[in-house]
Amino acid sequence: MARPRKEYIEARSERLNLRLTQGERATLEAKAAAAGVPPTDYARRVALGGQLAIVEAKAADPQLVLALNRVGVNLNQIARAINAHTGFSPADLSCTLARLNQLLDDLQEGQ
């Protein structure tokens, strides 16, 4: 599904070319990454006086990442079985979804 067209007044049709040194570009990209937005959005918001919240990146728990990966693999296998119309047990899906919900609860408690 395509993105809806913006109203004429909202469409960004004007361009501004900006030349930067390599260091300036690296700084801009680092600040944009810290804010969680693309560099062009960051530059636009800063230039127009917009506010940006800096996102603090937290290190992910390696065991939690591994567990979520395993759940994802299980869900992928279940989806393939459903799409291939092979022997599929709804209990497999229920068990996997229950485990996923538990991991997501653990993730929220850790924040």
Side-chain angles (χ1 to χ4, degrees), residues 6-7 10-11 14 16 20 22 29 31-33 36 42-43 47 51 61 74 80-81 93 99 103-104:
K6 292 187 177 206
E7 295 292 326
E10 295 176 342
E14 299 300 313
L16 174 66
L20 303 170
Q22 287 180 345
E29 288 175 348
K31 288 182 177 184
Y42 179 84
Q51 297 294 321
D61 178 10
N74 288 342
R80 282 186 176 200
L93 181 58
R99 180 69 179 132
L103 288 169
L104 291 174

Side-chain angles (χ1 to χ4, degrees), residues 42-66:
Y42 179 84
R44 181 184 313 105
R45 289 181 189 178
V46 170
L48 297 175
Q51 297 294 321
L52 288 168
I54 302 301
V55 178
E56 290 291 326
K58 294 181 182 178
D61 178 10
Q63 290 179 330
L64 182 60
V65 171
L66 180 63

